[in-house]
Amino acid sequence: MIKTMGTHSGRCFFSNRGMTLVELLVGLLILSILLAIGVPSFNQFIASNRLTAYTNDMLSTLTLARSEAIKRNGREVLCKSADGETCAGAGGWNQGWIVFADPNNNANRDAGEPVVYKMPALQSGYTFDGVNGFISSVSYDSQGGLTQTGTFTLCPPVPAASGQGQEIVVSASGRPRASRITSCP
């Protein structure tokens, strides 16, 4: 049986509800406006989450280096490293870093010195720089204290979240803390 919606002059007609071209174009326009608003916000959300993750990676690495120095009763060094085996003399901390035991106290990884932890390079666009004593390495003594003090500054890619970064300050006792900064380029 065919269901009719009404009659007109004795004829049956069926109701076919579809979309007109104008309705389709209005829907696409609304969708494109929502995407234009939402995608940049989503990119900032991703950049902010990565920034937090990288900050937490460095905080946990600093804590690991400190605890290893105390546990092994010797010097542990955290240095920037592009290859995960040797300390890099140039570049920023965004190229990655390693933690290793340093019994000869030269702040360079020599043959036989075990690598405790390796962090790969950060995603392209992030800058991670050490200031003051943390330009190339961080050294913990057997008591868990620092042989130098300094600060790290982590900034996201410019278009994603300009002006918002993280600063990691490590006290002379060796304990790190992070805070938000607004001085990123």
Side-chain angles (χ1 to χ4, degrees), residues 18-63:
M19 294 182 75
T20 66
L21 183 59
V22 172
E23 291 172 330
L24 181 64
L25 290 175
V26 168
L28 287 174
L29 177 66
I30 292 171
L31 179 65
S32 64
I33 290 170
L34 291 175
L35 284 174
I37 293 169
V39 169
S41 297
F42 187 67
N43 286 340
Q44 286 181 344
F45 175 73
I46 290 172
S48 177
N49 281 347
R50 282 194 181 128
L51 185 75
T52 301
Y54 292 148
T55 302
N56 289 338
D57 285 338
M58 181 54 88
L59 288 170
S60 64
T61 303
L62 288 162
T63 302

Side-chain angles (χ1 to χ4, degrees), residues 151-168:
T151 304
F152 293 102
T153 303
L154 175 61
C155 293
V158 175
S162 180
Q164 296 180 347
Q166 291 278 348
E167 181 178 69
I168 300 171

Side-chain angles (χ1 to χ4, degrees), residues 6-22:
T7 60
H8 182 13
S9 309
R11 293 186 190 187
C12 281
F13 65 91
F14 296 98
S15 175
N16 288 328
R17 286 292 297 169
M19 294 182 75
T20 66
L21 183 59
V22 172

Side-chain angles (χ1 to χ4, degrees), residues 91-132:
W93 287 85
N94 51 314
Q95 63 188 309
W97 56 82
I98 58 173
V99 174
F100 64 94
D102 189 29
N104 62 0
N105 295 330
N106 68 353
N108 283 312
R109 183 168 179 266
D110 300 317
E113 294 178 339
V115 173
V116 177
Y117 179 78
K118 296 178 187 180
M119 175 68 181
L122 307 186
Q123 186 169 5
S124 178
Y126 287 83
T127 59
F128 203 172
D129 296 314
V131 183
N132 300 330

Side-chain angles (χ1 to χ4, degrees), residues 77-97:
V77 174
L78 164 65
C79 69
K80 55 189 175 184
S81 175
D83 62 4
E85 296 295 324
T86 59
C87 294
W93 287 85
N94 51 314
Q95 63 188 309
W97 56 82

